[in-house]
Amino acid sequence: MKPPTPEQPAWLTFIRRGARILEGAGRHLVRLNSRSVVAAARRRTGLDDFGDPAFREPLDRLLRSLEAEARLNLVGRVAAREDLTGMLMNRLRMERDRRRHPGIAAEDIRRPLFITGLPRSGSTFLHGLLAQDPANRVPLHWELRSPSPPPERATHETDRRIERAARDIRWFLHFAPEFRKVHTVGAQLPEECVVILSHSFLSFQFSSTWFVPSYQSWLERQDLRPAYRYHRQFLQQLQWGCPGERWVLKAPPHLPGLRALFATYPDANVVMTHRDPLEVVASVASLHLVLRRTFSDVVDSHAVGAEVTGMLAGDIRRGFEIRDDGCAPPERFVDVRYPELMDDPLAVARRIYRHFDLPLSAEAEARMRRFVATSPKDTHGPHVYSLAQFGLDADVERQRYRAYWERWRGPGGA
């Protein structure tokens, strides 16, 4: 089945045509360099202290890659500048909060539960399922976009930042209407840790949104501990006024980050999700394509396919090398295969709780059951994709991932 052409409203086509006319001027009007975005963040907040300076080199490398390689249109340049400036503004405000409230830095993050593994392997569904347990604290989208001042328990459901985040999502979906078919996002829904890690500018999120190959190549060789140190500070910020018994966190890029994750959270537990990579790689490439076409008029789907499968295979190799090398005791991991999660989500949840010796209350299980019953697939239409769309050959891809799939497909796997 041929994937449909992404829908684009007439008004958006008009805006993009106008933006292309202004493209040359846009490169001068919308500057993408670290000096400019740092100055903008300071000017807009009136603050100066960003905290740990380890973010500066990653930010500079990312911006240089954006300027030299991403081929952003004017909309993309504006969005990139605003996004990165916003992260810097969050850093400034969170550092101010830590000075005003020393108790934030004293917050103890105990036995966090991380969900990672292949993207598109049910991890978002599992995160939402475990979020139904009132004992579990999950980061919500609005909190990660606007973490200062620290959220408070009394206003957690009514905070004015919720509507601001919802408005931003609506605007984004105007520009990328296909995105809602690929990934569910909402102001009060659980959000991935990639948003937190991006505040350190050591994040695999950026290569999903933009073509930044030199930054991505550099990132894959870096020690990620500075990113996870900041991740811990972020959780302390959110937890200070709105605690839970444990954090439940999720992001596929935690897989290549396992060494830094356990260095930062020695008592962490990890759930790894697994799925046939041939069902994953085209779906991931489709996500990248939707995001990149929002911000660039020059995107080659075959190039995206080759890039995505190379990155995915690299993440798998690095992640399981780290796990096999003993980054944590084996009992700190539990493995979940996509078919079993889809067949019986409650059984998977019970197994996770038993494995990590966590209490599962009757209330939590009832809420999980309701979540499963009210979480239909393809709410916004089917997400249609294929290997051929991205120039990928099934036999070649099967060989690329053979070692992984033979190890993790489970009994009776294809």
Side-chain angles (χ1 to χ4, degrees):
M1 181 177 181
K2 183 179 178 182
T5 302
E7 59 190 65
Q8 182 167 290
W11 64 268
L12 181 52
T13 302
F14 177 79
I15 288 176
R16 283 180 167 163
R17 285 176 180 169
R20 280 195 288 273
I21 296 173
L22 299 172
E23 193 66 41
R27 293 183 65 84
H28 300 289
L29 294 173
V30 184
R31 292 177 292 174
L32 295 176
N33 60 69
S34 55
R35 178 179 296 180
S36 176
V37 295
V38 165
R42 284 173 166 159
R43 182 175 63 254
R44 288 162 67 172
T45 60
L47 301 169
D48 189 69
D49 186 0
F50 290 98
D52 185 351
F55 77 93
R56 290 185 175 274
E57 182 183 3
L59 174 63
D60 188 56
R61 286 184 176 271
L62 174 61
L63 283 161
R64 281 189 276 139
S65 186
L66 276 170
E67 190 65 80
E69 298 167 326
R71 303 182 74 175
L72 299 176
N73 54 33
L74 184 56
V75 170
R77 294 181 71 84
V78 171
R81 181 178 169 87
E82 282 300 300
D83 202 22
L84 299 178
T85 302
M87 294 176 196
L88 289 168
M89 291 167 65
N90 283 343
R91 288 187 64 105
L92 287 165
R93 289 167 175 155
M94 288 170 65
E95 197 63 28
R96 175 197 60 193
D97 293 342
R98 290 174 81 84
R99 291 195 304 272
R100 288 179 174 175
H101 309 290
I104 295 175
E107 284 292 317
D108 187 19
I109 312 297
R110 294 187 299 274
R111 296 190 71 199
L113 178 64
F114 288 85
I115 303 169
T116 190
L118 268 65
R120 320 303 297 172
S121 61
S123 56
T124 297
F125 175 75
L126 180 58
H127 197 203
L129 179 69
L130 300 185
Q132 303 311 304
D133 185 346
N136 293 336
R137 176 75 160 93
V138 298
L140 303 181
H141 179 91
W142 72 266
E143 296 179 298
L144 301 194
R145 293 299 177 186
S146 302
S148 174
E152 297 181 6
R153 176 65 67 193
T155 57
H156 200 239
E157 301 294 325
T158 59
D159 195 292
R160 59 186 176 82
R161 288 170 286 184
I162 297 171
E163 176 51 35
R164 187 192 315 161
R167 183 181 65 244
D168 290 345
I169 291 170
R170 289 194 294 270
W171 270 107
F172 170 72
L173 291 176
H174 279 311
F175 283 91
E178 285 287 298
F179 185 80
R180 72 183 74 212
K181 297 180 182 180
V182 185
H183 183 72
T184 302
V185 62
Q188 292 177 280
L189 292 181
E191 187 55 272
E192 291 194 2
C193 290
V194 289
V195 180
I196 300 177
L197 296 170
S198 293
H199 284 74
S200 70
F201 304 100
L202 286 166
S203 174
F204 294 89
Q205 178 185 19
F206 300 124
S207 61
S208 299
T209 309
W210 306 307
F211 179 60
V212 284
S214 62
Y215 169 82
Q216 177 68 22
S217 177
W218 173 83
L219 176 63
E220 290 172 359
R221 303 190 301 272
Q222 299 311 299
D223 179 352
L224 298 178
R225 282 178 293 183
Y228 281 88
R229 285 199 301 268
Y230 200 74
H231 184 279
R232 187 182 188 92
Q233 289 186 22
F234 214 111
L235 295 188
Q236 289 175 321
Q237 173 89 2
L238 302 185
Q239 178 176 297
W240 182 64
C242 191
E245 290 186 29
R246 75 190 67 84
W247 281 99
V248 177
L249 306 149
K250 173 253 177 174
H254 287 314
L255 181 59
L258 283 173
R259 195 180 309 281
L261 186 157
F262 279 107
T264 307
Y265 302 104
D267 60 349
N269 294 311
V270 173
V271 178
M272 280 199 175
T273 55
H274 303 278
R275 189 179 183 183
D276 184 348
L278 266 66
E279 297 176 4
V280 168
V281 65
S283 180
V284 177
S286 178
L287 172 63
H288 285 226
L289 190 68
V290 167
L291 288 171
R292 292 187 187 182
R293 281 181 171 169
T294 305
F295 304 116
S296 173
D297 300 321
V298 187
V299 183
D300 181 336
S301 60
H302 285 203
V304 170
E307 181 188 358
V308 164
T309 195
M311 288 193 296
L312 184 61
D315 288 351
I316 290 172
R317 175 183 53 79
R318 291 193 305 276
F320 286 100
E321 284 178 356
I322 295 168
R323 176 172 170 175
D324 293 342
D325 195 40
C327 63
E331 61 269 19
R332 293 290 183 81
F333 296 91
V334 65
D335 296 284
V336 172
R337 294 167 184 83
Y338 183 78
E340 63 180 336
L341 177 61
M342 295 298 102
D343 288 345
D344 196 340
L346 268 295
V348 168
R350 293 187 198 104
R351 178 159 66 86
I352 291 169
Y353 276 69
R354 285 196 306 270
H355 184 90
F356 295 126
D357 194 25
L358 301 174
L360 179 59
S361 69
E363 178 190 2
E365 187 161 343
R367 290 176 56 159
M368 289 180 186
R369 198 178 304 279
R370 285 195 297 272
F371 174 80
V372 172
T374 57
S375 298
K377 192 177 180 182
D378 299 334
T379 304
H380 301 288
H383 177 207
V384 181
Y385 51 86
S386 69
L387 289 170
Q389 177 190 1
F390 298 98
L392 301 175
D393 180 86
D395 292 336
V396 172
E397 297 309 305
R398 176 63 71 201
Q399 186 60 37
R400 187 193 307 272
Y401 297 103
R402 183 172 299 279
Y404 164 79
W405 193 228
E406 288 183 348
R407 177 176 178 180
W408 294 109
R409 63 184 175 180

